[in-house]
C-alpha cells in the first residue's frame, strides 16, 4: 500500500499523512456521503494511471518542428544586429534546429523543380531522410561531393544507383557532375546561419553579393559621393578569387565565428577536391558513331527552357559582376566567404579615408571636421562649385566584388602614396603581388570605366538664387562641375557581339538571331520585349539612357527583321517593315485570298495576339532617373531591423517621455485617459448632491460642480417665474 500511494503522489517518504489528508478531504466534501471503511480500503489499495507525457522521440521529425523556420531566421537577424561586435562560439544550437533544415529543403527543391513546395506537402520519408542528413552533419559523418551514396536525393532524381553498371559508375565518379542535392541543403543551412552574422558586420563600402545592394546602388553612390574628385585609382583584385588559399578564408572566418563544428564543416568543403575530369575521347567517338540518339523528353512539371532568353539574360552582365567566386564545394557560400575575406580591406580603407581627410575653412562644400556634414544645394548634391580655393583633401572608396574604385581630391602624389600603401597591404594580408599597372591612376577628364559606365566631369553654369539680408532675392550665374555617369556604347556593342546580334565595331550591322527561327512571331516578339525591358532597367541611371536604349532597340529590331525576311522569304528588311509595320506587330505569314483578315481571326480566338516591339521611337524611351540619393543610405531591411531594435529598447520609451515632458506636450494616450478620467469624476448623478454637501472631504472640482448645478437650478426657476407672469398677463 505504501508503494502504491508513493507512486500516485510521487512522495515515497510520506504515504500515511497523505492518505489521512485525502480521507479528510473526501469526508468533508459537500453532496457526498461519508465513506465507509471498505471504500477507504479500496481507495488506499487503488493504483492510479500516470498522466506524464513521454519524452519526445529524437528520431521523430514531427516532434522536432516546434517553430516556423522563417520566424527563427528573423530572430537570428534581429539578435545579430542587436549585438554586432560579439564573438560567436556556440552556433551548433542553430545547426541542430530542424526547422532550418526543412526551410532549406523547401528552397533547394523549389530551385530544382521550379515549383514551391509547402511544408505540409513534404512527405514523411523525405523528412526522415532530411533528419538523417542533419544527424550525419552533427556527428561528422557527412562528406562533400558524394556521387553514389546520398542521405537524401532530389525529387527529380529517379536513378537507382545500386543497379548501375560498372561503366556508368565509372562515368559518374570520374566526370564533372552537378552539385549533389544534399550538398545544396547543407550550404543553404550554413548560409542562413552565417549571413545575418556578417551582414551586421560588413562595411557599407561593399556592394556585391549582398542582399539589398545591386550595381545600380553602386552607381548611385558614385554619382552622389564621388563628385569633385580629380584622381581615380581603379583596381582589379579578381585574381585573389581564383587562387584563394584555405588558410586566409579560415582565419578571416574565425575572427568572428569560433564554433568548431561550423569551422570544420567549411574547412572540409574547401579542402575536398572537386572532380572536373572530362569524358574520354573514346567515349566521344562511341557517342558520335551511333546512328540514332534518343532525344530527352521533358516531364510535365519540368519548366520548359528557353535557351535564347536565358543566354541573353545571364550573358548580358557588366564585367565586374560577370565573375562570381566559387570555392570548392561551398557553392552559394562562396560569395559570402569572398566578402568576409575582403572585409579587412574595406576596414583598412575606411581608416585611410579618415586619415586622409584634411578640411579647409575656405572650402565651399567640405569644411566640417568630421567630413559628413556638407553644405551647398541639398536638392542637387552632385554639383560641386568651383568658386573659392580648392584646398580640402578628401578621399572615398567603393568595392564591387573584386573590383575597387578610389577617388582622391588633392594632388596626384597623394594618390601615388595611397597606391603604394595598398600594394603593401595586399602583399602582407592576401599574399598577392600587385604593381602600378594593375592599379592605374587616371584623371577624371579621360573617363573612368566602372560597371560598364563611364565616369566623366561636366562643366555646368547654373543660376544660383539665394535670399540676402533684408529679404531680397539675388540671382547669380555660377560655375561648377557635375559628375556625369554615361553608359559605354563600346561595352554595349561588345555584349551584343557575344550574343551574335551584330558584327563590326565602327558601323555595327545587325545579324539575324537564328536561335528563334522555329518560334512563332508572337513568342519571338515577347522574348525580345523582355530583353529590351531588361536593357531599359539596366541603363536606368545613365545620362545617355535614351541614346543607348535607342541603339539597343535598333539592333534588336534589325535582327528580327532579317530573321523574318529569311523565315518568310521576304528578301529584304524593307518588305518586312512594310508588311509587319515598324514595330513588327502585324502577322507576316498572311496572304491575300488564302485566309480571313487577321483582326477577324483574333476576334474569334483563332490567332495569337502579337505584341509589337517596344521603344521603337525615341519619344517612347523614359528619361534617366535623377532621384536624389541619401548620403548615409542603408537597405530597407537593415533600416527596419534597426528601427525594430530601437523600439524594443526601454531607453527609447524613456527618452520619448522625457522629451514630451520638457516641451510640455501631451501624448494621444494621455489625452484620451484624461478625457475618460474627467468624465468619470465629474459626471455624477443628481440624487447624490445632498450626500456630497454633507461630506467634508470635497475636492475643488466637486465644489465647482455643485456651484454650477445650483446656478443652473436658480436660472431654471427664474425662467419658470417669468413664463408664469407672461401667461397671467395674457389671461
Amino acid at each position: 500500500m505504501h508503494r502504491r500511494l508513493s507512486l500516485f503522489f510521487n512522495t515515497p517518504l510520506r504515504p500515511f499523512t497523505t492518505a489521512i489528508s485525502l480521507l479528510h478531504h473526501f469526508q468533508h466534501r459537500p453532496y457526498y456521503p461519508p465513506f465507509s471503511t471498505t471504500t477507504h480500503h479500496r481507495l488506499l489499495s487503488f493504483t492510479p494511471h500516470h498522466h506524464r507525457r513521454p519524452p519526445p522521440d529524437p528520431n521523430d521529425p514531427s516532434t522536432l518542428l516546434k517553430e516556423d523556420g522563417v520566424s527563427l531566421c528573423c530572430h537570428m537577424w534581429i539578435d545579430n544586429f542587436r549585438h554586432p561586435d560579439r564573438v560567436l562560439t556556440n552556433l551548433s544550437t542553430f545547426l541542430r534546429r530542424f526547422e532550418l533544415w526543412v526551410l532549406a529543403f523547401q528552397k533547394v527543391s523549389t530551385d530544382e523543380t521550379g515549383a514551391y513546395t509547402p511544408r505540409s506537402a513534404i512527405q514523411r520519408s523525405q523528412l526522415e531522410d532530411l533528419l538523417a542528413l542533419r544527424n550525419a552533419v552533427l556527428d561528422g559523418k557527412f562528406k562533400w561531393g558524394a556521387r553514389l551514396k546520398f542521405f537524401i536525393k532530389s525529387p527529380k532524381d529517379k536513378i537507382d544507383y545500386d543497379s548501375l553498371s560498372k561503366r556508368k559508375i565509372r562515368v559518374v565518379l570520374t566526370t564533372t557532375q552537378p552539385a549533389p542535392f544534399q550538398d545544396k541543403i547543407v550550404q543553404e543551412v550554413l548560409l542562413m546561419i552565417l549571413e545575418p552574422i556578417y551582414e551586421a558586420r560588413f562595411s557599407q563600402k561593399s556592394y556585391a553579393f549582398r542582399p539589398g545592394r545591386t550595381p545600380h546602388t553602386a552607381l548611385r553612390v558614385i554619382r552622389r559621393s564621388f563628385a569633385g574628385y580629380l584622381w581615380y585609382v581603379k583596381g582589379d583584385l579578381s585574381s585573389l578569387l581564383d587562387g584563394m588559399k584555405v588558410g586566409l578564408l579560415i582565419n578571416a572566418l574565425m575572427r568572428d565565428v569560433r564554433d568548431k563544428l561550423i569551422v570544420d564543416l567549411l574547412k572540409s568543403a574547401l579542402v575536398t577536391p572537386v572532380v572536373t575530369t572530362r569524358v574520354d575521347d573514346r567515349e566521344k567517338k562511341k557517342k558520335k558513331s551511333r546512328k540514332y540518339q534518343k532525344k530527352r523528353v521533358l516531364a510535365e512539371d519540368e519548366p520548359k527552357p528557353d535557351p535564347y532568353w536565358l543566354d541573353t539574360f545571364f550573358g548580358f552582365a557588366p564585367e565586374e559582376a560577370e565573375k562570381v567566386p566559387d570555392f570548392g564545394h561551398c557553392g552559394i557560400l562562396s560569395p559570402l566567404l569572398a566578402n568576409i575575406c575582403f572585409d579587412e580591406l574595406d576596414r583598412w580603407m575606411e581608416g585611410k579615408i579618415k586619415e586622409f581627410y584634411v578640411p579647409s575653412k575656405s572650402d565651399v562644400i567640405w569644411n566640417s571636421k568630421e567630413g559628413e556634414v556638407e553644405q551647398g544645394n541639398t536638392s542637387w548634391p552632385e554639383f560641386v562649385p568651383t568658386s573659392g580655393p580648392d584646398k580640402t583633401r578628401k578621399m572615398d572608396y567603393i568595392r564591387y566584388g573584386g573590383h575597387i574604385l578610389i577617388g582622391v581630391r588633392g594632388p596626384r602624389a597623394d594618390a601615388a602614396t595611397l597606391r603604394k600603401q595598398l600594394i603593401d597591404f595586399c602583399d602582407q594580408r592576401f599574399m598577392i603581388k600587385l604593381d602600378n599597372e594593375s592599379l592605374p591612376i587616371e584623371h577624371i577628364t579621360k573617363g573612368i570605366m566602372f560597371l560598364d559606365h563611364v565616369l566623366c566631369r561636366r562643366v555646368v553654369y547654373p543660376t544660383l538664387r539665394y535670399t540676402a539680408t533684408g529679404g531680397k532675392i539675388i540671382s547669380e550665374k555660377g560655375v561648377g562641375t557635375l559628375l556625369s555617369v554615361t553608359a559605354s556604347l563600346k561595352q554595349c556593342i561588345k555584349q551584343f557581339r557575344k550574343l551574335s546580334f551584330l558584327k563590326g565595331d565602327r558601323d555595327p550591322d545587325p545579324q539575324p538571331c537564328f536561335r528563334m527561327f522555329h518560334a512563332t512571331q508572337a513568342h519571338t516578339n515577347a522574348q525580345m520585349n523582355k530583353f529590351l525591358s531588361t536593357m531599359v532597367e539596366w541603363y536606368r541611371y545613365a545620362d545617355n539612357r535614351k541614346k543607348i536604349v535607342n541603339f539597343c532597340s535598333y539592333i534588336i529590331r534589325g535582327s528580327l527583321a532579317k530573321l523574318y525576311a529569311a523565315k518568310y522569304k521576304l528578301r529584304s528588311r524593307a518588305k518586312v517593315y512594310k508588311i509587319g509595320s515598324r514595330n513588327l506587330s502585324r502577322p507576316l505569314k498572311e496572304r491575300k485570298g488564302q485566309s480571313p483578315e487577321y483582326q477577324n481571326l483574333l476576334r474569334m480566338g483563332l490567332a495569337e495576339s502579337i505584341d509589337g516591339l517596344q521603344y521603337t521611337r525615341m519619344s517612347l524611351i523614359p528619361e534617366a532617373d535623377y532621384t536624389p540619393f541619401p548620403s548615409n543610405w542603408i537597405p530597407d531591411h537593415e533600416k527596419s531591423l534597426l528601427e525594430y531594435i530601437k523600439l524594443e529598447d526601454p531607453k527609447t520609451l524613456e527618452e520619448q517621455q522625457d522629451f514630451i515632458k520638457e516641451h510640455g506636450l501631451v501624448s494621444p494616450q494621455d489625452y484620451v485617459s484624461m478625457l475618460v478620467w474627467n468624465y468619470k469624476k465629474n459626471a455624477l448623478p443628481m440624487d447624490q448632491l445632498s450626500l456630497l454637501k454633507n461630506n467634508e472631504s470635497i475636492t475643488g472640482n466637486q465644489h465647482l460642480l455643485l456651484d454650477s448645478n445650483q446656478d443652473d437650478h436658480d436660472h431654471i426657476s427664474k425662467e419658470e417665474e417669468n413664463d408664469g407672469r407672461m401667461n397671467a398677463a395674457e389671461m
Side-chain angles (χ1 to χ4, degrees), residues 258-387:
R258 296 179 185 175
D259 186 276
K260 188 176 185 302
L261 183 59
I262 299 289
V263 174
D264 291 345
L265 194 60
L266 287 172
K267 188 175 181 180
S268 63
L270 293 168
V271 171
T272 304
V274 181
V275 179
T276 57
T277 308
R278 297 182 179 180
V279 184
D280 296 338
D281 295 336
R282 296 178 182 178
E283 296 289 339
K284 289 183 179 180
K285 290 180 181 178
K286 287 182 181 179
K287 287 184 179 180
K288 288 183 179 179
S289 62
R290 292 179 182 177
K291 296 181 180 179
Y292 174 75
Q293 291 184 359
K294 187 177 180 181
K295 295 183 179 180
R296 179 174 175 268
V297 180
L298 298 176
E300 294 182 358
D301 56 346
E302 190 174 0
K304 307 299 185 290
D306 191 347
Y308 186 77
W309 166 241
L310 292 178
D311 189 14
T312 303
F313 183 80
F314 294 109
F316 208 99
E319 183 181 353
E320 290 81 2
E322 190 175 4
K323 189 172 185 179
V324 180
D326 189 10
F327 305 138
H329 294 278
C330 292
I332 57 175
L333 287 169
S334 300
L336 178 64
L337 294 176
N339 278 332
I340 292 173
C341 189
F342 278 122
D343 187 61
E344 191 173 359
L345 172 64
D346 300 337
R347 299 298 180 184
W348 182 78
M349 284 300 304
E350 286 180 354
K352 289 296 177 182
I353 290 173
K354 293 180 180 179
E355 293 178 6
F356 190 82
Y357 180 68
V358 179
S360 176
K361 293 182 179 180
S362 58
D363 201 307
V364 182
I365 298 295
W366 299 290
N367 52 19
S368 60
K369 295 181 180 180
E370 293 81 7
E372 298 177 357
V373 182
E374 297 181 2
Q375 299 176 1
N377 190 359
T378 56
S379 62
W380 198 10
E382 299 87 359
F383 172 71
V384 179
T386 56
S387 59

Side-chain angles (χ1 to χ4, degrees), residues 518-563:
H518 298 286
T520 61
Q521 183 181 354
H523 180 68
T524 304
N525 286 5
Q527 295 300 309
M528 293 301 105
N529 280 335
K530 289 182 182 179
F531 181 46
L532 278 172
S533 300
T534 305
M535 301 304 299
V536 169
E537 182 62 25
W538 168 237
Y539 293 117
R540 180 177 181 177
Y541 300 100
D543 293 341
N544 58 342
R545 184 186 188 185
K546 278 182 168 291
K547 181 179 178 181
I548 197 75
V549 172
N550 187 37
F551 172 77
C552 297
S553 177
Y554 161 73
I555 295 296
I556 291 174
R557 194 164 58 95
S559 178
L560 285 185
K562 286 189 174 182
L563 171 68

Side-chain angles (χ1 to χ4, degrees), residues 95 156 161 164 167 225 276 362 385 425 433 435 505 541 582 586 625 671 700 709:
L95 201 61
K156 292 172 56 179
Y161 290 92
L164 291 178
R167 184 181 66 83
S225 304
T276 57
S362 58
F425 177 82
K433 299 293 184 181
D435 52 6
D505 291 334
Y541 300 100
R582 180 184 178 90
R586 297 284 301 174
D625 191 355
Y671 182 71
N709 290 332

Side-chain angles (χ1 to χ4, degrees), residues 586-599:
R586 297 284 301 174
L588 295 169
K589 63 180 180 180
E590 179 185 357
R591 294 183 180 179
K592 295 182 179 180
Q594 294 184 2
S595 61
E597 290 286 338
Y598 170 71
Q599 296 295 336

